[in-house]
Amino acid sequence: MGYWATPPVKDALEVSEWSRGYRARNEIQENSFKRMIDHGALHTNYGRKKIVGPDRHQQRAREHLEQSLAAAQQRVVKKAEAVKAKQDQVAESESKGHGTRLEQRQRALAVLAKAWTEAQHHQDTLAEHASALGPPRERAERDCRQQTIMTVRTLWLEHMLNAFMAVLVGTRQTKVSLEQGLPLLFERSGARMETNSQVVYWVNTTGLSVPYRRVLTQLVEGLCTMDFREQGKPIRVCLRDMPP
């Protein structure tokens, strides 16, 4: 398990303890996703829909070959110019009757001509590879758009709920977690009444234990303190024992 150990992990744990830390990390991540199952609709199955689009693998290979081919063409042009310049020097030496210098320039010309030939061969090879790719192809891939939308929506909702609970709990002294506060507020039955001056919500407290009733009272008081409004009317939340 050493491949994932970061410097803080190495400082905090011995090598033999890395696997235990890894399992604990997985458990924390798994529990956080379990917490988001209900309000994120993560149990929804969108199947294995396929979407047909351009073959990106072929596109990337073609782009890479085109860049390499352009560079190879530039090298061929430069090699040809060097060979032409050296040929002119050889011709000049021959006309002037040079001896040693003519031999030196002829040897240099042979080296440049060989390099030019190799550059042309490399260019031809790249051109063959580019033509072997054929016309643009299509590729059927799994449609992950809906899954991506659901993931982003779930994470956004999770952040908004955490921010809401942070503001709500910030108005009270009681510390309440998201897992504890959401069921108490939104999974209990209740009633709603609207008057000319306000909107009243009653939350059913039947069957709640004393500790949970105390926590719910703190949450309801926090909601009232936050001064929510519906169409300009203040919202008031109250607790009430309702018959089954």
Side-chain angles (χ1 to χ4, degrees), residues 154-191:
T154 301
L155 293 175
W156 176 82
L157 179 59
E158 178 77 2
H159 290 314
M160 294 298 292
L161 288 173
N162 281 320
F164 167 73
M165 288 301 297
V167 174
L168 178 60
V169 174
T171 62
R172 304 286 99 189
Q173 297 297 325
T174 305
K175 299 298 182 182
V176 183
S177 65
L178 185 65
E179 296 84 352
Q180 185 182 27
L182 285 182
L184 287 176
L185 281 176
F186 301 113
E187 293 185 6
R188 301 196 64 80
S189 61

Side-chain angles (χ1 to χ4, degrees), residues 194-199 233-234:
E194 182 175 354
T195 65
N196 293 331
S197 58
Q198 64 180 352
V199 178
K233 298 179 182 179

Side-chain angles (χ1 to χ4, degrees), residues 215-231:
V215 172
L216 185 57
T217 301
Q218 293 288 329
L219 294 176
V220 167
E221 292 177 356
L223 288 173
C224 295
T225 304
M226 295 170 70
D227 193 24
F228 288 111
R229 293 181 178 272
E230 181 178 341
Q231 297 181 352

Side-chain angles (χ1 to χ4, degrees), residues 229-242:
R229 293 181 178 272
E230 181 178 341
Q231 297 181 352
K233 298 179 182 179
I235 297 177
R236 190 163 63 92
V237 184
C238 305
L239 301 179
R240 182 177 179 180
D241 290 332
M242 298 180 181

Side-chain angles (χ1 to χ4, degrees), residues 201-217:
Y201 287 90
W202 284 283
V203 179
N204 184 12
T205 58
T206 303
L208 272 181
S209 63
V210 175
Y212 277 130
R213 185 184 294 266
R214 187 180 305 114
V215 172
L216 185 57
T217 301

